[in-house]
C-alpha cells in the first residue's frame, strides 16, 4: 500500500531510489517504469489522513448512530464514510475523529455536533455536495478544539473556518472558492498546512488571507487564477506551490522575506524574462525550484545551494554558466544535482567545456 507524503518527503524518497539505480554522472537518466509509477502515485496523493477501516477495529459500540460504526477498540472514532448519507448523523459524546467522506451530504444541520463541540479534533468531509448556504450556524462554528478540517471536493464558494486555535491542517481542494476574506486565519498560530488547490482564487481574493500565521510550513494554491505569488505569507513557510496559475512575474525581494523556503513550484504559468528581477531566485534556503512550462528565454540566476532545477518546456535559447556559478574555485561551485532543460531551444552542445567544474555535483542533466 502506498502511503501519501508531502512533496518534500516524496522528493527525498525519489532521490534515494534514484541513487540505487545511478552509476556516475549522466546527461540523461532513464527512470525505470516501475519506479516512476510508484513515485508518481506517491506524489499525487492528497488526502493524507490516518484512515483505518472499522472492520479492522472490532464491533461497533452501543451509542453509535446506526448509519455508522464506532469500533469498541477505537471508541473515539466514528466511521460514516461511503454510506450514501444525505446528512450528518448524530455524533455521540466522546468522539474525536469523525469520518464522513464519500457520501452525498448536501447540508450540515444546526446541532449536528452539539455533543462534541469541545472534543472533536478531526473532521473529514471530503467528496460530498456541501455548499456554504447549507452549513447552518451552530455547527462548524462551534468546534473549539478542531485540529484537522478536510473539506475537499465539495461545492464551497468561500472557506469554512472553525474557531479552534488548535487547527493545524486545512484542506479545501477542488471546490469553487473565489474569495478568502482577510483575518479568517489571524488567530490560527498552530496552523502548519493549507491546501487550496483547484479553486477559483485570484490574487486579490487572498491578499490578506495568510497574515498572522506564525507556524505555516506548507501552502498550496496551485490550479487557481493567481497573477502573482500570494502576499503576506509568513517567514516560516518551507513549501509553496503555485503551479497552474497565470503568474507572469515575481516581485523583487519576494523570496528574501521567506528565509526558510525550500521548495518552490511556479510551473505551468506565464513567466517571462522581464518578470524575473535579477537575482530573485538567488536565495540560500531553496533546495528545489520548478519553473517548467513557462515562457522563459534564458536561465535565471540561482544560488549555488540549489539542488533541483526544472526548466523544461520553456523557450530557452542559450546556456550561460554564470546563471549557476559566479566564481568557480575548490570551495565555490554549484551544488545542483538535477537539471531539466528538455523541450527548449538548446542541446548538450550548447554547454561550454568548463561546465563540469561548475556543475560538478550534477548527476542528471536532461536536454531531450
Amino acid at each position: 500500500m502506498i502511503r501519501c507524503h508531502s512533496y518534500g518527503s516524496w522528493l527525498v524518497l525519489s532521490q534515494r531510489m534514484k541513487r540505487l539505480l545511478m552509476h556516475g554522472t549522466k546527461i540523461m537518466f532513464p527512470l525505470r517504469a516501475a519506479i516512476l509509477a510508484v513515485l508518481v502515485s506517491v506524489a499525487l496523493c492528497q488526502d493524507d489522513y490516518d484512515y483505518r477501516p472499522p472492520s479492522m477495529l472490532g464491533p461497533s459500540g452501543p451509542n453509535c448512530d446506526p448509519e455508522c460504526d464506532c469500533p469498541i477498540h477505537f471508541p473515539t472514532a466514528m466511521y460514516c464514510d461511503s454510506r450514501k448519507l444525505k446528512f450528518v448523523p448524530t455524533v455521540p459524546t466522546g468522539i474525536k475523529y469523525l469520518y464522513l467522506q464519500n457520501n452525498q451530504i448536501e447540508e450540515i444541520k444546526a446541532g449536528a455536533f452539539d455533543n462534541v463541540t469541545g472534543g472533536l479534533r478531526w473532521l473529514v468531509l471530503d467528496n460530498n455536495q456541501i455548499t456554504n448556504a447549507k452549513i447552518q450556524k451552530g455547527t462548524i462554528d462551534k468546534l473549539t478544539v478542531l485540529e484537522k478540517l478536510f473539506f475537499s471536493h465539495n461545492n464551497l464558494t468561500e472557506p469554512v473556518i472553525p474557531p479552534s486555535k488548535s487547527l493545524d491542517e486545512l484542506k479545501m481542494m477542488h471546490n469553487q472558492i473565489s474569495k478568502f476574506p482577510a483575518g479568517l486565519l489571524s488567530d490560527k498560530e498552530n496552523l502548519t498546512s493549507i491546501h487550496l488547490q483547484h479553486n477559483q482564487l485570484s490574487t486579490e481574493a487572498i491578499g490578506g488571507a495568510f497574515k498572522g500565521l506564525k507556524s505555516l510550513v506548507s501552502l498550496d494554491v496551485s490550479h487557481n487564477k493567481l497573477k502573482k505569488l500570494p502576499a503576506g505569507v509568513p517567514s516560516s513557510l518551507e513549501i509553496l506551490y503555485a503551479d497552474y496559475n497565470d503568474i507572469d512575474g515575481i516581485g523583487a525581494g519576494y523570496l528574501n522575506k521567506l528565509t526558510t523556503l525550500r521548495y518552490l513550484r511556479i510551473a505551468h504559468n506565464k513567466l517571462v524574462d522581464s518578470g524575473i528581477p535579477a537575482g530573485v531566485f538567488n536565495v540560500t534556503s531553496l533546495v528545489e525550484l520548478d519553473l517548467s512550462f513557462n515562457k522563459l528565454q534564458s536561465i535565471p540566476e540561482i544560488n549555488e545551494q540549489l539542488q533541483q532545477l526544472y526548466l523544461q518546456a520553456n523557450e530557452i535559447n542559450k546556456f550561460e554558466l554564470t546563471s549557476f556559478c559566479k566564481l568557480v574555485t575548490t570551495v565555490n561551485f554549484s551544488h545542483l544535482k538535477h537539471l531539466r532543460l528538455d523541450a527548449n531551444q538548446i542541446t548538450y552542445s550548447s554547454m561550454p567545456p568548463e561546465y563540469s567544474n561548475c556543475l560538478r555535483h550534477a548527476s542528471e542533466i536532461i536536454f531531450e
Side-chain angles (χ1 to χ4, degrees), residues 21-42:
L21 300 175
M22 290 167 56
H23 300 281
T25 301
K26 297 181 180 180
I27 296 302
M28 181 173 181
F29 173 73
L31 274 177
R32 294 177 183 173
I35 297 297
L36 181 59
V38 172
L39 295 180
V40 170
S41 299
V42 173

Side-chain angles (χ1 to χ4, degrees), residues 291-306:
L291 302 175
S292 59
F293 294 90
N294 279 284
K295 298 180 179 180
L296 300 176
Q297 294 183 328
S298 60
I299 300 173
E301 177 187 350
I302 62 170
N303 191 269
E304 292 178 349
Q305 300 304 314
L306 191 72

Side-chain angles (χ1 to χ4, degrees), residues 23 44 61 146 161 183 235 259 288 291 356 365:
H23 300 281
L44 293 179
L146 199 67
I161 308 297
S235 59
T259 55
E288 177 188 284
L291 302 175
S356 58
I365 303 176

Side-chain angles (χ1 to χ4, degrees), residues 46-331:
Q46 297 290 348
D47 301 317
D48 192 17
Y49 42 79
D50 187 13
Y51 179 81
R52 286 173 280 180
S55 58
M56 298 174 57
L57 299 169
S60 187
N63 297 324
C64 196
D65 188 281
E67 297 282 354
C68 307
D69 289 296
C70 306
I72 58 175
H73 297 304
F74 192 14
T76 57
M78 182 170 173
Y79 294 85
C80 310
D81 56 296
S82 306
R83 315 288 170 111
K84 298 182 179 180
L85 300 180
K86 301 286 187 179
F87 60 89
V88 177
T90 302
V91 185
T93 302
I95 296 300
K96 296 180 179 180
Y97 310 98
L98 179 57
Y99 300 95
L100 289 161
Q101 72 271 23
N102 304 323
N103 281 292
Q104 300 167 14
I105 299 172
E106 296 181 356
E107 65 177 324
I108 304 177
K109 297 180 179 180
F113 305 122
D114 278 0
N115 294 326
V116 291
T117 54
L120 193 64
R121 296 181 182 177
W122 291 18
L123 177 56
V124 183
L125 287 161
D126 294 344
N127 293 296
N128 280 287
Q129 302 165 22
I130 303 169
T131 62
N132 290 88
K134 293 295 185 72
I135 302 175
Q136 301 299 317
K137 188 174 182 178
T139 55
I140 292 176
D141 57 319
K142 285 190 176 181
L143 300 177
T144 59
V145 297
L146 199 67
E147 297 173 358
K148 301 184 187 298
L149 178 57
F150 297 91
F151 222 132
S152 300
H153 293 275
N154 277 277
N155 298 316
L156 301 179
T157 54
E158 56 185 295
V160 178
I161 308 297
S164 173
K165 294 183 178 180
S166 302
L167 191 69
D168 62 33
E169 190 168 9
L170 179 65
K171 289 189 176 184
M172 293 186 174
M173 308 173 291
H174 292 273
N175 278 280
Q176 301 165 25
I177 300 174
S178 59
K179 56 182 178 179
F180 204 118
L184 286 182
L185 302 175
S186 59
D187 63 341
K188 303 295 186 277
E189 296 187 356
N190 293 304
L191 190 56
T192 61
S193 177
I194 300 176
H195 292 259
L196 294 170
Q197 57 267 44
H198 291 278
N199 278 288
Q200 302 294 319
L201 291 168
S202 65
T203 303
E204 295 75 22
I206 58 173
F210 311 117
K211 292 182 179 179
L213 299 176
K214 298 180 179 180
S215 303
L216 191 64
V217 173
S218 176
L219 173 62
D220 194 333
V221 289
S222 58
H223 292 272
N224 276 283
K225 297 181 177 181
L226 304 182
K227 293 186 177 180
K228 301 293 180 184
L229 289 175
V233 294
S235 59
S236 59
L237 202 66
E238 296 182 17
I239 301 171
L240 175 56
Y241 297 160
D243 39 327
Y244 291 95
N245 278 285
D246 297 318
I247 299 170
D248 58 7
I250 313 297
Y254 182 90
L255 297 181
N256 290 336
K257 302 174 184 178
L258 304 179
T259 55
T260 61
L261 189 66
R262 293 175 59 79
Y263 306 98
L264 176 60
R265 284 186 187 174
I266 323 177
H268 294 274
N269 276 280
K270 299 178 179 179
L271 291 174
V272 294
D273 287 2
S274 59
I276 308 295
V280 69
F281 297 123
N282 189 4
V283 291
T284 58
S285 64
L286 277 183
V287 173
E288 177 188 284
L289 176 61
D290 189 349
L291 302 175
S292 59
F293 294 90
N294 279 284
K295 298 180 179 180
L296 300 176
Q297 294 183 328
S298 60
I299 300 173
E301 177 187 350
I302 62 170
N303 191 269
E304 292 178 349
Q305 300 304 314
L306 191 72
Q307 297 181 22
Q308 320 285 332
L309 178 59
Y310 302 98
L311 289 166
Q312 69 269 27
N314 275 276
E315 300 171 7
I316 297 171
N317 53 38
K318 54 185 174 181
F319 189 102
E320 294 182 341
L321 212 54
T322 53
S323 297
F324 307 95
C325 299
K326 296 298 183 186
L327 178 67
V328 179
T329 68
T330 56
V331 295

